[in-house]
Amino acid sequence: MARPLWKGTLTFGLVSLPVALYPATESHAVRFHQLQRGTTDRIRQRRVNERTGEEVPFEDVVKGYEIAEGQYVVVEPAELEEISPGRSRTIEISGFADLAEIDPVFFDRTYYLGPGDPGTAKVYQLLVEALGHSGRAGIAVFAMRGKEYLTAVDSVDGLLELRTMHWADELRDPHREVADLPARRRDFHRTELATAEQLIDMLAVDWDPEDYHDSYEEQVRALVEAKAAGREIALSKGAQPAPTDLSELMDVLHRSLDEARAKAGGTPRKGAGGRAPARGGGGGGGRAKAARPVRAVRTAEPAKAGRPAKAAAPEKDGAPGKAAAVEDLASLSKAELYRRAAALGVPHRSTMTREQLQYALRAAARPRRNLKRAS
């Protein structure tokens, strides 16, 4: 069992709960030592004075902030310790925000937040259930190891999770960072858009993290094992795919659809070179019906996008119940999509386009992940 990285108190309102912070992830990357080629001699990193070439003891190292070329303000470790937030042992929740409204770019690392005192299990369970039903996360600032973190505390499958977040001024402006970013105008034809959307629907999957694994790590381990056994492995590099020629865009999209249908056991389009645009069945909008199995949209008390609904709600005034299976969302009118979004409590639904409403409804029906527990 892992040891806590941090222990302290979580507070919201006048409620205080002792908690312990545990790592939620671990790295399986293959680690190498640095050696000099032709030998087994280890390469070591040393702190060296660049002017004299002499090694400097750790206790003689101070920090310097460069204010001009070659000019530094020197800061002693003790001075940093005086202003360090590391003495704080409290995660004080200042408010509760809808996670669906937080851009994922803000999130950094995830930790499990377990109870710090068995005697306060009731308070822990109360916060877990209250957060789960509210569909919100507690926003807090806390200090750990001499650094202050902005965090979101969420309820997931019976326990609390803490996600560290980037500060707003740490985010880079994509319009400054990304070269040649296209303007948000439609240089494509509606038929191309409809076909691309149909391809996305054809390739839709139910998210299961167990379906994915680090193939590069497996290849590195195989390489190490083969070299240890004196075998050679033929290494080959796959050909870099060429950019799609704009004149062939529709043809490439249609061939992609054919491959997706074939993998799904469907029948490819008949006729050589026939390029009739993909169209959805009744309901307009130019979108084709998704070929994947239909999911049930779950409803209950107003839920936030991305979270499973809670207790089943009976059908009222024509609103779908939790177990009511719905037809393909692409065939529904915008008014019907909006009505279902309202039943699910989807935020900002009044400003959404038809496609955005469909996405939000699919997200609302998507289950949260199940955590594996030790038996």
Side-chain angles (χ1 to χ4, degrees), residues 266-333:
T267 304
R269 293 170 302 106
K270 295 181 179 180
R275 292 294 176 259
R279 301 189 181 276
R287 289 194 61 169
K289 287 190 176 182
R292 64 182 183 277
V294 175
R295 294 185 192 170
V297 171
R298 293 171 283 184
T299 64
E301 58 196 275
K304 305 300 178 185
R307 297 175 178 274
K310 304 298 182 287
E315 295 188 10
K316 294 182 180 179
D317 301 324
K322 176 179 178 181
V326 297
E327 60 271 36
D328 174 33
L329 296 177
S331 67
L332 302 181
S333 67

Side-chain angles (χ1 to χ4, degrees), residues 197-238:
E197 289 177 336
Q198 185 183 10
L199 177 58
I200 291 173
D201 282 340
M202 286 289 296
L203 297 177
V205 297
D206 290 320
W207 164 245
D208 184 353
E210 297 295 332
D211 291 341
Y212 306 90
H213 59 277
D214 188 348
S215 59
Y216 174 72
E217 178 197 345
E218 294 175 354
Q219 293 178 58
V220 171
R221 293 189 182 278
L223 174 63
V224 170
E225 292 173 3
K227 292 181 75 69
R231 303 192 310 271
E232 290 294 331
I233 289 185
L235 302 177
S236 61
K237 223 167 160 186

Side-chain angles (χ1 to χ4, degrees), residues 17 117-128:
L17 172 66
D117 181 351
T120 59
K122 179 179 178 179
V123 181
Y124 183 90
Q125 292 172 337
L126 175 66
L127 182 55
V128 167

Side-chain angles (χ1 to χ4, degrees), residues 4-220:
L5 299 174
W6 180 94
K7 284 188 174 182
T9 303
L10 176 71
T11 67
F12 61 106
L14 299 178
V15 180
S16 297
L17 172 66
V19 291
L21 198 69
Y22 299 86
T25 60
E26 61 183 353
S27 174
H28 290 156
V30 180
R31 300 189 181 277
F32 293 96
H33 293 300
Q34 292 183 325
L35 307 176
Q36 183 175 359
R37 190 186 302 278
T39 74
T40 57
D41 299 338
R42 289 277 302 275
I43 305 298
R44 303 288 183 176
Q45 303 292 336
R46 300 167 58 199
R47 291 176 294 273
V48 175
N49 183 313
E50 66 175 18
R51 179 177 57 83
T52 65
E54 296 178 358
E55 188 170 359
V56 179
F58 179 77
E59 58 271 17
D60 289 341
V61 175
V62 295
K63 297 183 182 292
Y65 183 86
E66 190 172 26
I67 56 176
E69 188 173 354
Q71 296 183 5
Y72 295 88
V73 173
V74 176
V75 180
E76 295 285 344
E79 293 175 312
L80 286 175
E81 183 64 25
E82 286 296 318
I83 62 172
S84 170
R87 294 184 177 86
S88 172
R89 309 302 293 176
T90 304
I91 302 174
E92 183 178 356
I93 294 177
S94 58
F96 295 89
D98 183 353
L99 269 178
E101 296 181 357
I102 302 176
D103 191 323
V105 73
F106 279 96
F107 295 121
D108 186 15
R109 302 193 66 180
T110 301
Y111 298 87
Y112 297 142
L113 201 59
D117 181 351
T120 59
K122 179 179 178 179
V123 181
Y124 183 90
Q125 292 172 337
L126 175 66
L127 182 55
V128 167
E129 291 301 317
L131 278 177
H133 281 84
S134 71
R136 296 181 179 272
I139 305 300
V141 174
F142 91 112
M144 178 174 64
R145 295 178 176 175
K147 184 177 178 181
E148 204 164 47
Y149 295 90
L150 175 65
T151 66
V153 178
D154 187 21
S155 170
V156 179
D157 196 31
L159 65 90
L160 299 177
E161 282 188 351
L162 181 144
R163 296 179 177 90
T164 59
M165 301 167 66
H166 297 289
W167 303 96
D169 59 3
E170 292 180 322
L171 300 189
R172 294 182 174 184
D173 183 350
H175 297 281
R176 292 185 178 182
E177 301 296 329
V178 182
D180 304 320
L181 190 65
R184 296 196 66 177
R185 62 176 186 271
R186 294 193 171 187
D187 292 334
F188 46 81
H189 193 273
R190 288 180 60 185
T191 303
E192 295 169 332
L193 176 61
T195 308
E197 289 177 336
Q198 185 183 10
L199 177 58
I200 291 173
D201 282 340
M202 286 289 296
L203 297 177
V205 297
D206 290 320
W207 164 245
D208 184 353
E210 297 295 332
D211 291 341
Y212 306 90
H213 59 277
D214 188 348
S215 59
Y216 174 72
E217 178 197 345
E218 294 175 354
Q219 293 178 58
V220 171

